[in-house]
């Protein structure tokens, strides 16, 4: 993913930046977020479509690529995810995923996992980087948010940022300067390159870094992480990391963090790459574990006003042929598995859990795989496995379902796509 020219260019940037970038000027929060709220774009025809858009920001022409869900509903507040490119990369690289594996890696692999539940933005940096001189890139972010929220229906409590290398640095800068605007960030192999204005407020933070990174040393990634370990009130620790030569990864979720502000650290045995895979070297768009972990981290933050919309099948999707279950009665619940995406050797599914005529408080979904499938990552639930039998229980935030209402959890799995019959019970 990272060419020799790009690495050399980043080395040149590292030689010129330093403490001066730890506090960039001119950054004022766009607006505070306390709860989900309908933006000006809700309830009216979409004012922006998927594609490239230009905007005036800090006296300059800036551009970004937008991806609006195929089944866009102007009455549904959507999650909004920013994906920032690396040094020498482009917004097109992020939006298409063409550098690692076209489509599979679009928006750092999150687009295929989103199943039309999210609006994505790939901004274009000046000189293909994110120097954020005098805070101009942060102002650019503010201006994009203003334009997008004015034209589309966005859940203001569901803004997220991620990026690799220089894009990770920009995501870190957002964590420092816009903790009251963004819900969470995922910083992939980042450093202090785009500044850190403020940097004292808590925000949900995920750091991902290679232990053999020769461009942005992992010690810097640990330092970025530790700022938010402190800000979030987490218990200080030295999380375990994989051994050199193991070609594995280790993920640690910190304990003691303030409510709603988790810190997750994912270290892997590789260098400065964006899509590491266990057991092999180099970038892999289809086999890397990173997208599923970032998606799980982002989607744990649910709001009652922002349910996932029903998917719209596309050429890259394999819709489920499972019949809809009969509506549950009383305090019972039902569960339906739907395959929403598939690729050679794997697939993604969404499971809808629905209450009957009475509310449920806690649920358990079970099914049995028919042909040796196995879950590689699961979000919005807690799984246990015994052979081919899978049991998923609610997370602590989605166990209560009102009468007739529903919630969802999702997973990616290895093997051929399958939609076994699922059962649901409630205590």
């Amino acid at each position: 993913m990272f060419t020799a020219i790009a690495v050399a260019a980043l080395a040149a940037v590292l030689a010129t930046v330093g403490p001066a970038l730890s506090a960039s000027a001119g950054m004022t929060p766009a607006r505070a977020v306390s709860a989900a709220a309908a933006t000006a774009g809700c309830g009216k025809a979409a004012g922006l479509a998927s594609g490239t858009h230009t905007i005036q920001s800090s006296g300059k022409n800036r551009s970004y690529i937008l991806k609006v869900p195929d089944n866009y509903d102007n009455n549904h507040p959507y999650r909004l995810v920013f994906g920032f490119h690396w040094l020498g990369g482009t917004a097109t690289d992020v939006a298409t995923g063409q550098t690692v594996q076209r489509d599979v890696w679009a928006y750092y692999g999150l687009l295929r996992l989103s199943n039309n539940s999210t609006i994505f933005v790939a901004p274009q940096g000046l000189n293909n980087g994110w120097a954020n001189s005098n805070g101009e890139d942060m102002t650019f972010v503010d201006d994009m948010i203003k334009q997008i929220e004015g034209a589309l229906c966005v859940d203001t409590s569901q803004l997220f940022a991620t990026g690799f290398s220089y894009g990770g640095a920009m995501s870190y800068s957002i964590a420092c300067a816009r903790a009251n605007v963004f819900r969470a960030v995922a910083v992939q192999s980042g450093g202090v390159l785009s500044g850190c204005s403020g940097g004292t407020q808590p925000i949900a933070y995920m750091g991902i870094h290679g232990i053999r990174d020769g461009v942005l040393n992992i010690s810097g990634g640990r330092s970025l992480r530790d700022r938010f370990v402190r800000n979030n009130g987490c218990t200080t620790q030295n999380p375990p990391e994989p051994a050199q030569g193991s070609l594995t990864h280790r993920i640690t979720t910190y304990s003691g963090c303030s409510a709603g502000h988790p810190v997750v650290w994912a270290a892997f045995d590789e260098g400065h790459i964006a899509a590491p895979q266990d057991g092999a070297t180099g970038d892999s768009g289809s086999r890397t574990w990173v997208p599923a972990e970032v998606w799980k981290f982002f989607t744990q933050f649910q709001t009652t006003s922002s349910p996932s919309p029903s998917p719209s099948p596309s050429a890259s999707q394999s819709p489920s042929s499972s019949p809809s279950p009969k509506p549950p009665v009383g305090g019972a619940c039902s569960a339906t598995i739907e395959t929403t995406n598939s690729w050679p050797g794997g697939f993604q599914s969404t499971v809808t859990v629905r209450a009957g005529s009475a509310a449920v408080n806690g649920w358990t979904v079970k099914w049995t795989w028919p042909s040796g499938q196995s879950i590689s990552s699961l979000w919005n639930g807690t799984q246990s496995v015994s052979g081919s039998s899978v049991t998923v229980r609610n997370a602590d935030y989605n166990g209560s379902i009102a009468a007739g209402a529903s919630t969802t959890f999702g997973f990616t799995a290895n093997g051929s796509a399958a939609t076994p019959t699922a059962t649901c019970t409630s205590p």
Side-chain angles (χ1 to χ4, degrees):
M1 164 174 254
F2 224 63
T3 66
I5 295 174
V7 170
L10 184 54
V13 170
L14 290 171
T16 59
V17 301
L21 270 178
S22 65
S24 297
M27 299 183 185
T28 55
R31 49 97 173 96
V33 169
S34 56
T39 58
C42 293
K44 64 182 185 182
L48 291 171
S50 296
T52 302
H53 299 272
T54 59
I55 188 174
Q56 276 282 316
S57 182
S58 299
K60 299 178 180 179
N61 287 323
R62 304 296 299 265
S63 67
Y64 63 90
I65 298 175
L66 186 70
K67 178 63 177 74
V68 181
D70 296 335
N71 53 342
Y72 175 75
D73 177 356
N74 62 9
N75 290 311
H76 172 88
Y78 285 87
R79 181 187 299 112
L80 179 62
V81 174
F82 285 78
F84 293 92
H85 62 74
W86 51 96
L87 181 62
T90 66
T92 299
D93 291 334
V94 172
T96 64
Q98 62 188 15
T99 306
V100 173
Q101 188 170 350
R102 190 172 181 85
D103 298 328
V104 172
W105 190 245
Y107 292 95
Y108 289 103
L110 302 183
L111 180 62
R112 67 182 175 90
L113 297 178
S114 72
N115 190 31
N116 282 310
S117 66
T118 301
I119 298 170
F120 288 94
V121 187
Q124 177 60 48
L126 297 171
N127 300 314
N128 289 8
W130 301 102
N132 197 26
S133 301
N134 298 315
E136 63 181 346
D137 287 328
M138 196 64 65
T139 300
F140 177 37
V141 171
D142 293 342
D143 291 339
M144 285 186 288
I145 292 173
K146 182 178 180 181
Q147 184 175 72
I148 294 167
E149 289 186 349
L152 298 171
C153 192
V154 176
D155 183 342
T156 61
S157 71
Q158 295 279 291
L159 271 63
F160 302 90
T162 191
F164 167 70
S165 193
Y166 220 151
M170 188 61 199
S171 300
Y172 173 74
S173 186
I174 284 173
C176 291
R178 296 294 183 269
N180 61 343
V181 174
F182 282 75
R183 186 65 185 84
V185 300
V187 176
Q188 303 182 41
S189 303
V192 185
L193 302 174
S194 307
C196 177
S197 177
T200 60
Q201 294 179 291
I203 185 174
Y205 185 91
M206 183 177 197
I208 304 169
H209 219 109
I211 65 172
R212 292 185 280 134
D213 194 325
V215 179
L216 292 170
N217 192 277
I218 192 172
S219 62
R222 296 182 189 120
S223 178
L224 306 188
R225 171 203 70 197
D226 289 346
R227 173 185 289 273
F228 290 98
V229 169
R230 294 189 299 270
N231 289 356
N232 298 5
C234 308
T235 302
T236 302
Q237 62 171 289
N238 292 315
E241 295 174 353
Q244 287 200 20
S246 65
L247 290 177
T248 59
H249 72 282
R250 296 195 67 169
I251 299 177
T252 299
T253 299
Y254 277 72
S255 61
C257 304
S258 58
H261 304 121
V263 172
V264 171
W265 177 244
F268 59 91
D269 177 40
E270 249 287 12
H272 195 67
I273 62 175
Q277 54 182 316
D278 285 348
T281 59
D283 285 303
S284 171
S286 62
R287 294 185 297 275
T288 180
W289 47 269
V290 173
E293 292 297 335
V294 172
W295 187 245
K296 179 169 66 175
F297 185 70
F298 284 172
T299 57
Q300 68 181 298
F301 307 108
Q302 299 287 328
T303 58
T304 56
S305 64
S306 183
S308 297
S310 299
S312 173
S314 65
S316 63
Q317 295 174 328
S318 301
S320 168
S321 59
S322 297
S324 300
K326 295 180 180 179
V329 296
C333 56
S334 66
T336 308
I337 301 176
E338 180 178 28
T339 301
T340 56
N341 203 352
S342 64
W343 51 91
F347 60 101
Q348 177 192 350
S349 295
T350 296
V351 182
T352 301
V353 182
R354 186 175 301 278
S357 58
V360 300
N361 187 15
W363 47 262
T364 300
V365 173
K366 296 182 179 182
W367 70 86
T368 300
W369 290 121
S371 306
Q373 293 85 354
S374 62
I375 291 177
S376 55
S377 182
L378 183 140
W379 51 93
N380 297 339
T382 301
Q383 67 163 319
S384 59
V385 177
S386 177
S388 60
S389 298
V390 180
T391 300
V392 179
R393 293 179 173 84
N394 59 273
D396 57 5
Y397 51 81
N398 64 357
S400 298
I401 311 175
S406 64
T407 188
T408 63
F409 65 88
F411 60 83
T412 56
N414 302 313
S416 57
T419 56
T421 300
T423 62
C424 180
T425 57
S426 177

